Amino acid sequence: MPAFPQYDAALLKLLDGQAASILRIFAERSYSRVEPPILQPAELFLDRSGEEIRRRTFVLTDPAGQELCLRPELTIPVCRMHLAGGGRVFAYPKPNHEPATFTVLNFLVPDVEKAVSELTQRGVRFEIYDMPDLKTDAKGIARGHGPAAAWFKDPAGNIFAVMEEKK
């Protein structure tokens, strides 16, 4: 099992700046930050993860007999909070907990050029694509086939996009 990556103070500061930029974009679009409880029902995480993950997960039993675990990631708790509020979600499953090879989340922005510029100044690196069905410019922005969009990866390698809202 690989060790956790070591980050120096400068890289952590850069990552904090990127996170702040992304959170600001969410706030500007009227999204609210959620912080799910650190203890979650274990079956949500462990039933589909297999014994290897179960062995590595801190599991405890509450006084009522329910198995709980430390929240291993945020997707399930955020979805649970969203669903509890009456929302609906659609998720693409990915086996073996590998980073997604497709866009997992689009951030709608009024101006892709401005969003890319602001995020680039904060250290976000946008992907450059030169494929038959997807070409981006030097900034990483694709235009001409649907809304203008630019893609970037999170530290785990999942793909996200800023996409211009239809006017």
Side-chain angles (χ1 to χ4, degrees):
M1 178 171 165
F4 287 106
Q6 298 298 311
Y7 298 107
D8 62 37
L11 180 57
L12 289 174
K13 185 175 181 179
L14 176 68
L15 292 172
D16 285 345
Q18 290 176 354
S21 295
I22 292 168
L23 288 172
R24 189 181 75 252
I25 288 171
F26 276 135
E28 289 170 356
R29 308 299 179 283
S30 300
Y31 291 96
S32 46
R33 184 175 180 155
V34 296
E35 296 191 30
I38 194 77
L39 291 175
Q40 293 287 317
E43 75 274 1
L44 294 172
F45 299 100
L46 303 177
D47 284 353
R48 297 186 185 265
S49 300
E51 286 306 309
E52 181 63 24
I53 299 297
R54 183 176 282 279
R55 281 194 299 274
R56 293 190 215 166
T57 304
F58 179 76
V59 178
L60 60 103
T61 305
D62 72 5
Q66 181 182 18
E67 275 194 327
L68 301 172
C69 68
L70 291 176
R71 177 186 74 211
E73 50 91 19
L74 290 173
T75 305
I76 293 171
V78 169
C79 288
R80 286 182 67 228
M81 291 176 77
H82 180 69
L83 292 169
R88 296 174 41 177
V89 296
F90 180 81
Y92 294 98
K94 186 74 172 160
N96 303 323
H97 303 283
E98 296 173 355
T101 54
F102 48 81
T103 306
V104 296
L105 183 63
N106 293 304
F107 300 99
L108 297 177
V109 296
D111 183 343
V112 163
E113 189 87 30
K114 182 178 177 187
V116 167
S117 178
E118 288 177 7
L119 291 169
T120 299
Q121 288 175 9
R122 301 238 191 287
V124 175
R125 292 187 196 157
F126 286 87
E127 300 294 303
I128 303 296
Y129 295 111
D130 186 14
M131 300 182 286
D133 59 338
L134 178 62
K135 293 188 185 310
T136 59
D137 61 20
K139 294 179 182 178
I141 301 172
R143 295 179 177 86
H145 299 288
W151 293 265
F152 61 96
K153 292 181 179 176
D154 71 2
N158 294 298
I159 302 168
F160 296 87
V162 287
M163 181 178 289
E164 197 159 280
E165 291 180 280
K166 294 180 181 180
K167 297 174 181 172

